[in-house]
Amino acid sequence: MSTDLSVTVAEGVALLEMRRPPANHIDEGLLRRIVETASTLDDDPACRVIVLASEGKHFCAGADLGHADFVRDRAAAAQALYAYAGKLFDTRTPIVAAVQGSAVGGGLGLACAADFRVAEASTRFVANFARLGFHPGFGLSVTLPALVGGQFAADMLLTARRVGGEEAVRVGLADRLADPGRLRATARDLALQLAASAPLAVRSIRATLRAGLADRVRQALDHELAEQRVLWATADSAEGIEATRQRRAPVFRGE
């Protein structure tokens, strides 16, 4: 495994841990390694469930827009990232995301790609795109409404407000609320429950429930990127990104 992704398998459960603390920013390289590892685990009879977790304070703060790749050519970097985001939905093994701290932007998209999400009361799910001045990505225009309904998704996407762990469980964005300090244990408990079911039946039922999802996400990714290309060229997007870096409120002018 690479230094920023580790994998261990025990009792039918594979733990994939992202190791880019504290923010665990996602990029094409890390997402490619996650997808390739998950694909390998699909063919490993010792693995029935994947737990996706991360080291440090936060689950994933999305893409680092200040990274050289995004500064040099943001659209190209996003396109490379989204190519693997689409492939993530081809994974045949159920995925449980253990979400601590914040899941922001693309990090929220990564969490929503999983079958289940385990959170703590202190967890924050944030679709911050409108406060950055551009369109959501990572397939969230498909996955988020499917989880919480169109109206609540609109609330999250248009206001960019934070949704805590308790509210996330109430609205269906998270599936289990872990006690403090028991996030990994609670995610593993859920994974072990899944692993105890008949594996062929689990994959069959999952395939039925997610039928067509990968294709819908890929179509959404194309549209999301096209919208992002347009909005990244606006003054509002430049202001939103710069304000976030400076930790101040943005001043948008509709330009």
Side-chain angles (χ1 to χ4, degrees):
M1 283 288 94
S2 64
T3 58
D4 59 4
L5 182 69
S6 68
V7 58
T8 55
V9 181
E11 298 180 277
V13 177
L15 174 65
L16 269 65
E17 183 180 56
M18 297 181 285
R19 291 181 169 178
R20 288 184 173 180
N24 289 295
H25 285 295
I26 196 83
D27 60 14
E28 180 269 339
L30 178 55
L31 189 56
R32 172 175 52 80
R33 287 185 282 279
I34 291 172
V35 169
E36 290 176 350
T37 301
S39 179
T40 299
L41 291 168
D42 278 343
D43 298 321
D44 185 350
C47 174
R48 295 187 177 186
V49 184
I50 293 169
V51 172
L52 180 62
S54 56
E55 181 182 34
K57 184 177 180 181
H58 299 293
F59 175 72
C60 180
D64 180 2
L65 298 179
H67 188 276
D69 289 345
F70 279 88
V71 172
R72 182 169 52 252
D73 190 335
R74 188 171 296 157
Q79 186 172 25
L81 177 66
Y82 292 167
Y84 284 100
K87 291 178 181 180
L88 182 60
F89 288 85
D90 293 325
T91 302
R92 304 192 306 277
T93 305
I95 300 174
V96 176
V99 186
Q100 84 278 16
S102 295
V104 181
L108 174 62
L110 181 61
C112 288
D115 298 79
F116 301 95
R117 283 146 296 284
V118 177
E120 297 174 303
S122 59
T123 300
R124 295 293 180 265
F125 297 91
V126 189
N128 64 334
F129 303 92
R131 295 288 285 180
L132 293 170
F134 61 89
H135 194 284
F138 215 102
L140 276 167
S141 53
V142 169
T143 57
L144 189 59
L147 291 171
V148 302
Q151 194 63 27
F152 197 88
D155 185 356
M156 289 186 67
L157 292 168
L158 297 178
T159 68
R161 73 177 181 88
R162 298 177 179 181
V163 175
E166 292 180 351
E167 184 178 15
V169 170
R170 287 199 302 271
V171 302
L173 183 54
D175 303 279
R176 301 285 190 277
L177 189 67
D179 292 332
R182 286 194 49 81
L183 179 70
R184 292 283 184 94
T186 303
R188 181 169 176 79
D189 286 346
L190 174 54
L192 287 171
Q193 291 177 39
L194 296 167
S197 295
L200 297 180
V202 166
R203 288 199 177 191
S204 175
I205 295 166
R206 181 181 184 269
T208 297
L209 294 175
R210 292 168 72 97
L213 178 59
D215 290 337
R216 293 196 302 275
V217 167
R218 288 189 179 93
Q219 291 175 359
L221 287 166
D222 289 341
H223 173 75
E224 289 168 353
L225 181 57
E227 292 295 318
Q228 287 177 337
R229 287 177 184 270
V230 173
L231 291 170
W232 277 329
T234 65
D236 274 356
S237 181
E239 165 64 10
I241 294 170
E242 186 61 25
T244 298
R245 289 175 181 160
Q246 296 178 4
R247 299 183 181 277
R248 61 173 173 81
V251 179
F252 295 123
R253 303 185 184 279
E255 301 173 349

